[in-house]
Amino acid sequence: MTDRYSRQTLFQPIGETGQQRISQKHVLILGCGALGSANAENLVRAGVGKLTLIDRDYVEVSNLQRQQLFTTSDANEQLPKVVAAKARLQEINPGTEIEGHVMDATSMSLEPLIKKADLAIDATDNFDIRFILNDVCQKLGVPWIYGSCVGSTGMSYTVLPDEGPCLQCLLDTVPVTGATCDSVGIISPAVQMVVAHQSAEALKLLVEDKEALRAKLVTFDLWRNHYQTIGVGRAKNESCPSCGESAVYPYLTYEAQTKTEVLCGRNTVQIRPNRKVSLEELSGRLERIAPVKSNSFLLSMEYDSCRLVFFHDGRALVHGTNSIEKAKNIYYKLIG
């Protein structure tokens, strides 16, 4: 091996054999924000053979506090995150092949890409896409590493198809909040803690040391000095539609996906998620971001030059744009 990886190969669980395996593996990272950019840098520096990056967004100044691959010039130029990340990563290690996709991830676009990967890392910002990722990976038998963080908290779990609970199983057991970075903020150390767990698990999988994998869900709150690992083996549900004995992968069907459409002549995008929302709970979260108006039927707010209206059935209207991409970006920032 070259001197580039000399300190890594001195680490006995990796060694020369493990380094060779890392160099032959292909990792897909879904999302190039805080978690995605940091995981990507860790894996490129570790010498991963190929990295596929997927993200639909561009760099903004507010990203720079925690998204370590990007610079002020990237934000000024509004470069797509995938483009900016790929350029920086190739400077860090020209030996890694990097494939970038500036796109909105869907079941149709993800499946052919994950099919080529040895591992997927979740670095997205919403559960709609996570559920699709979960179903695709279960269907193809590809391991993936869940990660999320907001405020000073975070969690991570390694999902091994056919061997343990999937994301759907976990969420039937472990509650999650709807908080987002835009509603309650985030500190960079929380990002780095989740990344440390994700990248370490990734290296274990890449060198094929499955016995070293952490079988538990890890959660923490750095500000309140809480750290917990939770055994979730019993959460695996044999009747789970995503990973059970008769799995049907529900989030890959059209009916289960979030649907969007531009409303003719109204400069408005309608978003129809696959679930209902509690307007009372949503109002409490959104009031931290901007003033909210509500009545018995809907609530509305102004955000990022657009006016958003939310209904009991889950629908949202994003007034002030005909861009589905912009509307979805705003929606997920607020809803999570």
Side-chain angles (χ1 to χ4, degrees), residues 30-31 33 69-70 76 79-80 105 140 143 179 197 200-201 258 273 291 298 326-327:
L30 182 54
L69 284 180
F70 308 129
N76 290 340
L79 284 180
L140 299 177
H197 284 92
E201 291 288 282
T258 294
L298 56 84
K326 179 179 179 179

Side-chain angles (χ1 to χ4, degrees), residues 90-221:
Q90 292 286 211
E91 290 182 1
I92 292 172
N93 190 351
T96 294
E97 179 186 351
I98 300 175
E99 179 181 306
H101 298 272
V102 182
M103 70 179 199
D104 193 22
T106 65
S107 58
M108 292 184 64
S109 62
L110 271 182
E111 186 165 339
L113 296 175
I114 291 178
K115 186 180 295 185
K116 302 175 184 177
D118 298 294
L119 168 67
I121 294 180
D122 161 42
T124 186
D125 59 0
N126 71 85
F127 274 94
D128 284 338
I129 297 178
R130 284 192 180 107
F131 281 129
I132 292 174
L133 174 64
N134 182 64
D135 274 12
V136 170
C137 287
Q138 293 297 324
K139 179 180 178 180
L140 299 177
V142 175
W144 69 282
I145 305 172
Y146 162 67
S148 65
C149 52
V150 67
S152 59
T153 69
M155 61 174 61
S156 181
Y157 181 72
T158 302
V159 182
L160 301 176
D162 301 322
E163 297 185 33
C166 74
L167 182 66
Q168 182 65 60
C169 295
L170 285 183
L171 293 188
D172 287 341
T173 306
V174 181
V176 296
T177 71
T180 70
C181 296
D182 285 63
S183 63
V184 301
I186 187 169
I187 58 172
S188 183
V191 173
Q192 298 304 322
M193 178 70 89
V194 175
V195 169
H197 284 92
Q198 286 186 299
S199 291
E201 291 288 282
L203 288 174
K204 296 172 191 177
L205 285 165
L206 297 180
V207 302
E208 302 174 18
D209 187 3
K210 293 183 69 174
E211 291 184 1
L213 289 170
R214 173 179 34 79
K216 297 182 178 182
L217 171 74
V218 61
T219 69
F220 64 84
D221 186 330

